[in-house]
Amino acid sequence: MLTWIRWACEDPMTSTLEPTDKLDTMATPISTADSAVVHRAAVNGPEDDPTDWLSIDWQAAEGEVRRLRQRIFTASQAGDLKRVRNLQKLMLRSRSNTFMSVRRVTEVNAGHKTAGIDGMVVLLPQGKAELADWMQHRAAPWKARPVRRVFIPKANGRQRPLGIPVILDRCLQAAVLGALEPEWEARFEPRSYGFRPGRGCQDAIQAIFQTAKGKFPKRQWVLDADLTAAFDRIDHDRLLGLLGGFPARGLVEQWLKAGVVDQGRFAPTVEGTPQGGIVSPLLMNVALHGLEGAAGVRYRRTGAHAGETEAGSPILIRYADDLVALCHSRDEAEQVKARLAAWLMPGGLVFNEDKTRIAHLDDGFDFLGFNVRRYRGTLLIKPSRAALQRIRDRLSAEVVNLRGVWA
């Protein structure tokens, strides 16, 4: 077993942290003979061979992971749960999924140079190869480590708490995400847009436009809702119940209950999933799956217009924990709010009353940095005042920082 792996598996509360060191520099040196074996090993050869990171066929690895994801998605759509679980086990054992997970955590993600409580990051090919080999062949069961608490500024001047897992947990989370995400992508509601592959805030704004456009839209009342600290208040038992017999459910439970280290002090986590974890956005979407049904949204199931919203039904559009419900009347909007509040309560979630309101389209509302409002019968969508002010503040800060700098 490599030195850095042994050290990382120790109790993080009793181990001496060395945040200035890098994971790659802590690895045990490889002998000349072992080095020759490493460089001769082909990426698609026997799985017992050491990995040569620079020789990995990334196109082939991406193709294999994509095909497995498609098979999980198709089986989930068909309702074949047994096949879904077998394919997920195959994905979790997949060498290609391991490579893609390590690559995502150590190269692709913006925070790949940010360390967890152990102070470790992976920057060199040798460390990435050893990390992939450890994931593929680890002998002892892994125990999740607490996350490191950091704070980043929010648009309203407050601070958003993030939890940064250690590098090994991040890689395992990426591998689990590859197996869990396609199952739920086949089940998620059609107007859920946050933290989903191939979807974004522009799609959510487009859905609002399609619903509210025209001189006489049927749904002119809007429930503009926001959830209070949604990531921090998700009920663990309910979320784990939704995951059912997912093969890596035990790992997910460990990550949920691993705890937080803030300024050297450990605090247990009895609810919530920390923002900053790779699998956390998906868990948030899983926890909020079913909001459309709770709001009373109904879709046509047969006929030429199957899949369209039924007449008289509200339309709910969600991006992570921000949502809007377009309704026919103010009374309907009040009813939708009451139904959603009752549905959210067992999961530990409540509305943020300071940011939740019911408004008419003529009065307008802000959503995802845009202002949506009808002017004299015409729907206009433009950047919100708050979003414009954030741009002005950024430009002002850039100008100040560039003072005295020669071109």
Side-chain angles (χ1 to χ4, degrees), residues 246-259:
F246 176 61
R249 183 178 179 274
L251 265 179
V252 175
E253 183 175 6
Q254 286 191 45
W255 291 324
L256 292 174
K257 302 180 181 299

Side-chain angles (χ1 to χ4, degrees), residues 2-218:
L2 295 175
T3 302
W4 67 269
I5 292 180
R6 287 204 309 270
W7 186 82
C9 291
E10 294 173 356
D11 186 350
M13 302 307 298
T14 58
S15 301
T16 303
L17 302 184
E18 299 180 36
T20 57
D21 288 340
K22 305 301 182 186
L23 179 59
D24 308 278
T25 61
M26 298 178 65
T28 303
I30 300 177
S31 66
T32 304
D34 292 337
S35 178
V37 171
V38 169
H39 288 287
R40 287 198 307 268
V43 65
N44 294 323
E47 292 194 3
D48 290 336
D49 289 345
T51 299
D52 181 0
W53 188 260
L54 299 179
S55 298
I56 294 176
D57 186 345
W58 291 111
Q59 186 174 2
E62 291 174 1
E64 181 177 341
V65 171
R66 182 171 59 253
R67 286 189 294 272
L68 266 176
R69 285 175 61 93
Q70 290 172 343
R71 293 172 65 188
I72 296 172
F73 180 90
T74 302
S76 182
Q77 269 190 327
D80 190 348
L81 187 58
K82 181 178 180 180
R83 181 170 176 79
V84 168
R85 296 297 181 236
N86 288 335
L87 289 171
Q88 286 174 331
K89 293 176 183 177
L90 185 62
M91 176 69 88
L92 292 171
R93 294 193 301 265
S94 168
R95 201 179 189 196
S96 294
N97 186 38
T98 297
F99 291 156
M100 297 299 298
S101 301
V102 173
R103 186 189 190 193
R104 174 176 180 172
V105 170
T106 61
E107 297 179 5
V108 177
N109 284 1
H112 67 276
K113 294 184 179 180
T114 304
I117 61 169
D118 56 4
M120 290 184 175
V121 297
V122 177
L123 300 177
L124 301 179
Q126 177 185 339
K128 298 170 188 177
E130 292 170 348
L131 182 54
D133 288 338
W134 175 83
M135 288 181 61
Q136 197 71 17
H137 306 298
R138 63 185 187 277
W142 172 248
K143 182 179 179 181
R145 301 297 179 253
V147 299
R148 180 170 68 92
R149 175 70 78 206
V150 298
F151 294 90
I152 60 173
K154 297 175 64 175
N156 58 9
R158 299 179 181 178
Q159 290 188 320
R160 183 190 306 276
L162 297 183
I164 310 301
V166 300
I167 192 73
L168 295 174
D169 274 321
R170 271 181 277 174
C171 290
L172 291 172
Q173 286 188 22
V176 167
L177 183 70
L180 184 61
E181 188 175 60
E183 175 196 354
W184 283 91
E185 277 298 310
R187 300 165 61 180
F188 281 147
E189 295 149 334
R191 292 193 176 94
S192 166
Y193 297 98
F195 306 119
R196 294 183 61 185
R199 295 179 174 225
C201 64
Q202 297 288 349
D203 300 301
I205 297 300
Q206 175 69 10
I208 293 175
F209 175 79
Q210 292 296 333
T211 304
K213 68 180 180 179
K215 288 188 176 181
F216 305 103
K218 296 180 180 179

